[in-house]
Amino acid sequence: MRDLVYTGFMSLDGVVDSPGGTEEGHRSGGWVVEDLEFVPEAWSLKGEELTDTTALMFGRRSYEAFARVWPDSEDHAAYKELPKYVVSSTLADDALVDGWGPTTILRSTEDIAALKKSEGGAIFIHGSAELARRLSDAGLIDQYNLLVFPVLLGAGKSLFGRADRAKQMLTLRESETYSNGIMKLVYEIKR
């Protein structure tokens, strides 16, 4: 059974929208890189994830955003040839980016559940807040790797849905705080 790991940047009030810049649509976009002292160890989680990642998963919009930048990014070179899965009911096969490793379009939550039952290591989900909420509600997320930033954004895409659902317990596997106020939180889902 393969693990699905959501990894992302989150504001203290749970918003994951537009951490990298305003081109993503949020009025406070770029909140990850603005107004904070750079502390290299606060980013160590991202380096650690490189060794655990055997495949990447994206929702359609996140795939389209990352596919414009990551294939040629030196910071993401280790991801270039990894298998990628795009979850979309509308993306056409001819819309996939060439030269960025094998990419498969998954059309349903059932397709993702079947993928989890296949052989292989952890699949990391980057961005893709709507996909992460859907997969969480379906009980398919196994772990959350979060860097929580000391900012309140109010509005924006939230990682977690607000629908009434059964309680889900998590186990804190790892945590650390950094001098610039960022917190690393790694939670596993209790099953």
Side-chain angles (χ1 to χ4, degrees):
M1 188 90 155
R2 301 177 81 168
D3 284 342
L4 271 181
V5 179
Y6 178 84
T7 179
F9 307 116
M10 186 168 74
S11 69
L12 187 59
D13 56 349
V15 175
V16 294
D17 201 351
S18 305
T22 55
E23 67 277 358
E24 296 174 58
H26 193 279
R27 64 182 167 83
S28 296
W31 49 270
V32 162
V33 292
E34 294 176 354
D35 303 321
L36 275 182
E37 171 192 0
F38 178 73
V39 177
E41 57 271 19
W43 301 95
S44 64
L45 177 63
K46 294 299 160 192
E48 295 162 13
E49 289 174 348
L50 287 175
T51 60
D52 295 334
T53 303
T54 62
L56 300 171
M57 182 177 287
F58 305 97
R60 180 190 52 81
R61 283 188 298 258
S62 291
Y63 172 77
E64 290 170 343
F66 289 125
R68 286 192 297 261
V69 179
W70 281 18
D72 299 320
S73 167
E74 287 184 31
D75 290 338
H76 301 94
Y79 291 150
K80 188 166 186 162
E81 296 306 319
L82 289 179
K84 289 154 195 83
Y85 300 95
V86 183
V87 181
S88 174
S89 61
T90 60
L91 187 68
D93 288 329
D94 63 358
L96 297 176
V97 172
D98 290 328
W100 198 31
T103 305
T104 303
I105 299 173
L106 303 174
R107 300 293 182 190
S108 68
T109 302
E110 292 77 21
D111 290 344
I112 299 165
L115 174 65
K116 280 184 53 97
K117 293 178 184 173
S118 68
E119 294 294 320
I123 302 167
F124 278 70
I125 302 167
H126 290 262
S128 309
E130 292 173 32
L131 172 64
R133 279 194 306 274
R134 238 183 24 232
L135 297 180
S136 176
D137 289 345
L140 294 174
I141 301 282
D142 299 290
Q143 181 172 308
Y144 292 97
N145 290 4
L146 303 173
L147 289 178
V148 180
F149 285 72
V151 61
L152 301 173
L153 297 172
K157 294 177 188 170
S158 175
L159 178 56
F160 303 105
R162 300 291 181 239
D164 187 13
R165 60 180 274 179
K167 174 177 67 177
Q168 187 172 47
M169 296 300 295
L170 304 138
T171 300
L172 181 63
R173 194 181 93 200
E174 191 177 341
S175 68
E176 197 161 341
T177 54
Y178 304 101
S179 60
N180 61 358
I182 295 174
M183 294 182 294
K184 173 173 74 172
L185 301 171
V186 177
Y187 283 105
E188 291 177 351
I189 304 298
K190 282 188 180 181
R191 304 236 189 257

